[in-house]
Amino acid sequence: MFRIIRKSLKTGVVTGRYPAADASQGPTDPEAVGKTKPFRRSLAIREVDTGSCNACEMEMNALANPVYDVERFGVHIVASPRHADALVVTGPVTVNMERALKDVYKQTPDPKIVIALGDCAINCGAFKGSYAVTGPVDRHIPVDVRIGGCPPRPAEIIQALADLRGDSSSKE
């Protein structure tokens, strides 16, 4: 509890501004960009929550609203990992979701892209050190792209997907 109070006092009251993301956006691995060649025109995404606070899921839901409309860029959110080209993993991997994450990864057809969305998926964020957390996503499955932020804004997610696909038409 004191850790939360100390963090609140250090951060202060944040109103009217969105905090900047810490980690760099987009693909850093040229192999990840090479994997996306088949998905230049259309990309099917399966979102997997492995124990997050649901803030990243809210931002993923915002991608489908009329403001961001990610479908206009050829990005579709699908319900089955068997129909997906990419997995977007949110939250730290908890003890109860470790096996499910590995099963979803195996069910996704190759070539597949794994995107760690949010600080919790990248480095466990606020959940670091919890007894229920087994680690970040890249400890369990290989990660191609990391999109930092708590939570990352929908515009940042769209930009990272555009950078990954090498698409210049989605620059807003």
Side-chain angles (χ1 to χ4, degrees):
M1 180 167 141
F2 292 112
R3 191 172 71 213
I4 295 171
I5 294 171
R6 196 173 321 126
K7 184 176 180 182
S8 298
L9 291 173
K10 183 176 140 185
T11 305
V13 177
V14 180
T15 59
R17 287 184 23 214
Y18 196 92
D22 297 335
S24 63
Q25 315 298 50
T28 54
D29 185 15
E31 184 180 319
V33 176
K35 280 174 148 182
T36 61
K37 282 194 182 213
F39 314 121
R40 298 282 180 193
R41 304 188 83 192
S42 177
L43 180 68
I45 290 178
R46 168 72 169 130
E47 197 273 326
V48 181
D49 179 6
T50 56
S52 71
C53 67
N54 291 330
C56 291
E57 285 76 20
M58 296 298 288
E59 300 301 313
M60 285 290 294
N61 288 339
L63 287 176
N65 73 22
V67 174
Y68 295 102
D69 191 20
V70 77
E71 297 258 339
R72 67 185 157 154
F73 302 122
V75 178
H76 308 284
I77 299 173
V78 296
S80 172
R82 294 192 173 113
H83 300 154
D85 304 319
L87 293 176
V88 175
V89 185
T90 60
V93 181
T94 60
V95 174
N96 293 335
M97 289 301 294
E98 182 179 355
R99 184 78 234 144
L101 175 64
K102 291 178 182 177
D103 288 344
V104 167
Y105 181 77
K106 286 178 189 172
Q107 291 172 5
T108 306
D110 289 326
K112 57 188 150 215
I113 303 156
V114 178
I115 301 168
L117 181 67
D119 290 341
C120 294
I122 296 171
N123 61 15
C124 296
F127 301 105
K128 187 180 282 185
S130 170
Y131 65 90
V133 172
T134 61
V137 176
D138 62 359
R139 184 176 293 170
H140 301 284
I141 60 175
V143 173
D144 299 309
V145 180
R146 291 165 180 81
I147 304 174
C150 186
R153 291 178 280 195
E156 293 172 352
I157 299 169
I158 290 172
Q159 187 60 49
L161 291 174
D163 291 345
L164 178 68
R165 294 168 61 198
D167 185 16
S168 61
S169 67
S170 64
K171 307 262 189 224
E172 293 184 352

